Amino acid sequence: GQQLNQSPQSMFIQEGEDVSMNCTSSSIFNTWLWYKQDPGEGPVLLIALYKAGELTSNGRLTAQFGITRKDSFLNISASIPSDVGIYFCAGQLGNAGNMLTFGGGTRLMVKP
Amino acid sequence: SAVISQKPSRDICQRGTSLTIQCQVDSQVTMMFWYRQQPGQSLTLIATANQGSEATYESGFVIDKFPISRPNLTFSTLTVSNMSPEDSSIYLCSVDGDTTVGVFGPGTRLLVL
């Protein structure tokens, strides 16, 4: 089945630093999604990308849909302590209504 | 976008018993999915809950172990049957549709002793 490789697996950074994480796939996706999961919560959608090459921002978050449709990255600028959590990428084949394939997650830790 | 609630939020169960998890959406949605998140792991799709017909299961998941109902466009249940400690996980309901993409419920945390 589909595989999404997400890296890094974990990051421990200083508050104020920028963060970058990415996902690559062996197959193409039509939609890339980025989620954040806090302890004891379900994943919360941060950014959705629908077109190859698309670059989208949401506050301090920026994500891009790779031109090949096989990769995506998420950047967080000027990290703050509340950015702590696990970030997941997910790919979706086809249009809305298809299942999601998830990356392994990036655990972000921010030192005040 | 849609708002999802799940019941129960958490439970501790004895092996050999069954637990039914409910997923309620505040609006009609086309697609409903059930995912499992094992401790420290990512999310894995169990099945697609089809309204009015049998669920579509992913490889490694079977109806006898994870029966699913979807009586209408806003509600679904997942039952974890004949539980063992290996079933200890977070079970998550998700919905998708024309105006809703990849929304997840808060999850049900299951511990099997």
Side-chain angles (χ1 to χ4, degrees):
Chain A
Q2 299 286 343
Q3 293 277 336
L4 285 187
N5 298 309
Q6 184 172 349
S7 65
Q9 286 187 319
S10 63
M11 303 179 72
F12 188 45
I13 62 170
Q14 193 76 35
E15 181 178 1
E17 290 183 350
D18 297 343
V19 173
S20 184
M21 58 192 79
N22 70 86
C23 273
T24 59
S25 170
S26 57
S27 303
I28 63 173
F29 287 102
N30 289 327
T31 302
W32 282 92
L33 306 171
W34 284 92
Y35 290 87
K36 179 175 185 269
Q37 186 176 30
D38 292 325
E41 306 286 335
V44 174
L45 182 64
L46 299 173
I47 292 179
L49 302 158
Y50 299 103
K51 290 171 54 178
E54 179 181 355
L55 182 71
T56 297
S57 294
N58 179 7
R60 293 178 296 106
L61 277 60
T62 301
Q64 184 158 31
F65 192 146
I67 290 291
T68 64
R69 295 163 65 192
K70 293 183 178 182
D71 63 296
S72 178
F73 72 74
L74 174 70
N75 289 341
I76 305 173
S77 62
S79 59
I80 58 178
S82 62
D83 290 334
V84 166
I86 303 177
Y87 293 79
F88 290 101
C89 65
Q92 186 179 50
L93 290 169
N95 298 317
N98 287 79
M99 58 168 279
L100 299 175
T101 300
F102 279 82
T106 296
R107 182 180 298 273
L108 178 63
M109 294 159 280
V110 180
K111 183 178 180 181
Chain B
S1 61
V3 177
I4 303 171
S5 59
Q6 286 186 233
K7 289 182 182 180
S9 59
R10 61 179 67 241
D11 207 342
I12 301 173
C13 301
Q14 296 296 320
R15 67 173 68 210
T17 64
S18 297
L19 176 71
T20 295
I21 302 167
Q22 299 180 4
C23 175
Q24 179 72 55
V25 191
D26 69 344
S27 59
Q28 293 186 343
V29 289
T30 308
M31 305 297 291
M32 295 181 77
F33 305 93
W34 286 98
Y35 287 81
R36 181 176 73 181
Q37 186 176 26
Q38 295 177 298
Q41 302 295 313
S42 186
L43 287 79
T44 301
L45 181 67
I46 298 172
T48 302
N50 300 311
Q51 195 260 329
S53 64
E54 192 172 285
T56 305
Y57 290 85
E58 297 300 304
S59 176
F61 299 96
V62 295
I63 188 171
D64 290 347
K65 176 67 176 178
F66 297 102
I68 288 171
S69 79
R70 190 175 174 195
N72 56 53
L73 294 177
T74 64
F75 185 78
S76 178
T77 67
L78 168 75
T79 299
V80 186
S81 303
N82 188 25
M83 288 184 285
S84 67
E86 292 71 33
D87 294 320
S88 298
S89 293
I90 302 173
Y91 292 87
L92 295 143
C93 174
S94 175
V95 301
D96 207 312
D98 292 339
T99 59
T100 299
V101 59
V103 177
F104 281 83
T108 296
R109 278 143 196 83
L110 172 61
L111 176 63
V112 184
L113 303 177

